[in-house]
Amino acid sequence: GRKSAIGAIKSVVGIPHIVTPELGGSVINAEFGDTPEITRVEGRGNGNLIIDLTVESEKKIVNEITPKEITYKQGKGPISIKVIDPLNVIGGNYEVKFLEDVLGKLDSANWVIVRNKTDSVFSTSSINLNNEQLILDWGISISIKQFKSFDVTSSFSITDLLESSIEFEGSNNWLTGVPDVDGESSQNWIRSGSVHITNPTTGAVEDGCGQNGYFNDYYKGSDSYDGDQIFEKVVGGTWAPYILAAKENCFNTPITGATWSAISSSDLSDISSVDIVYTSDRSKWSRVPVLETQDNPALSWDGNTEKMKVKLKPSVDKYGVPTNNSGSNSTNPNDANYISGVGMSWFPGYAIDVQTGERLNMAFGEDSWLGNDNGNDMIFNPTKKMYTQFGPEEDPSTVVFGGKHYIYVFKNLHKDKYPSSYLGAYDNGEFMKNKLILSTSTSDKRKVWSACMYVGIPLLSESAVGLSDANDPYSYIESDVKIRIRVANSYKKHADAGQYVSDGAGSSVNGWNNFYTFNMDNLATSTDVAGGEDAYKDSIMALINVVPNPYYAYSNYEANRLDNRIKIVNLPDACTIKIYTVSGTLVRTLTKDNSRITSVDWDLTNTARIPIAGGLYLIHVDVPSIDREIILKWFGVVRPPDLKNF
């Protein structure tokens, strides 16, 4: 239109210029849109942003389990800090603190950003509005938008899938998984969608597979958990939220309908952004329980173990060797010979909550009936086989799924909203062993399964080499693999240790509300550089130029018919410009003493303001601050005055 929100649209002429001579010599270290690495000190959540940890932070989490601080890659932080004026970026240490709203919550929180503990800027709106606030004096903008997980329409909590991927360090994509397939098939293991068929006999809506074989999707009340089937696309349908994995009478699926599975106590908002890593580095492996995934207890390893119960076979070490049930020959749980009695093994890798910076507990299963596909050895070693060669694929008796080595990833539940009697961060599998193996209490089992976030069905790909060392059951791992799942989450309180309600194990700096730090020194503009090396001084002088050259009676800088104008450009802050004829007569002297303008205009007149004659002129530029000078040659053809309109 012809008008903007503030009135008539005005055109503004902008002339690009080189900033190197400014402010005693400037070096721009950032571009528009550049971002710093952001460190999370307290709080959790990412709004709707995709987050990724630095390599250093990932190593720190693997070793320390719950480090106090974690740092995100540039452009992959939980809040958005962006360079908007590369020339005006100011270095220093910055802090961003969330300020609780009047109800003591963060849904409508404001924030304050502090530079070097002194200068501060407060938000002009709360985080429930999508606002990018420009901080022009610092050359940056900040944008924080709260994600609202409660869906008013359905009356239950949800989240958004932002992205997912599988990343290989090596050239061969040796790992894959069982993809979800809709319809009446054993591969229909992710119950997203709106299929909701009633029982033809009773008229009741079936739950899950239903007793009559209907493969219904999951509803809560009258609304589908995931009607748009977004979560059927996680890593190509090979991973899913535990809450959406098939249960009850569905054969060959990752979970069961046992009351302690606690699936009904969870919402989609309870899942977080995670990394699941496979690695051959045994020092990073996770101690985990092994679950029975055979549907028929009579076909389990002992003929009596129900699906999803821990297999009480002797535990194995990191080389798959059974350990002594009667005692322990090591007190170090990371030792290859660590003995845990029964039911425990090792997952060749680890899982991380990318939002909270915590290492997570895991578990895996195997089907004891599928011994030919490594289903009865207490080792995480899936095969390539999807089905047997007998019968149709929809027949449950033909399903292999690589030995059904289902993977489960659990969150740190007790720190989030429950007391410490619930499953916490990774503890070498001790809590899970105590609750799932040593205890027969349904309540204890629920304290584990209430924390389950994700489940996956791994397979070796057709291109996988398989075992390369007959003496090592894990030699099928050809390279490190990372599974990335990113979802949206609300900003919330979160402590670095213990529970935030009891102030954790140490002191809080922001009431356990979101608190972030970052440094802008590597993005800040460097000034007064010309006081340094001679080479930089020479480079500043080499930029000085006169435009246009030659001048043929006209330049784009001129405003009207009586205006004659050229520019001497790329000048340092202070300099003296003298213009001579070739015979040495001084024509005009110009001076500049301005740190933000890098050019001066010459109207092609002499000291007496009389227009010069056309010809060749010498322009001498003297810069005392860096003890440098330069002489430029300029040729001009000057037009006679145009008095047409006078």
Side-chain angles (χ1 to χ4, degrees), residues 291-312:
L291 309 173
E292 178 62 72
T293 55
Q294 166 55 231
D295 295 279
N296 186 352
L299 300 180
S300 67
W301 71 279
D302 64 347
N304 193 42
T305 299
E306 295 178 7
K307 186 178 181 180
M308 295 293 288
K309 294 287 184 70
V310 176
K311 297 176 66 169
L312 301 183

Side-chain angles (χ1 to χ4, degrees), residues 506-521:
S507 60
S508 165
V509 294
N510 193 38
W512 301 123
N513 292 312
N514 298 68
F515 178 75
Y516 306 96
T517 64
F518 60 95
N519 183 277
M520 295 295 290
D521 287 346

Side-chain angles (χ1 to χ4, degrees), residues 324-342:
N324 183 2
N325 287 349
S326 60
S328 173
N329 58 10
S330 173
T331 59
N332 180 6
N334 289 315
D335 191 278
N337 294 317
Y338 175 65
I339 295 175
S340 182
V342 296

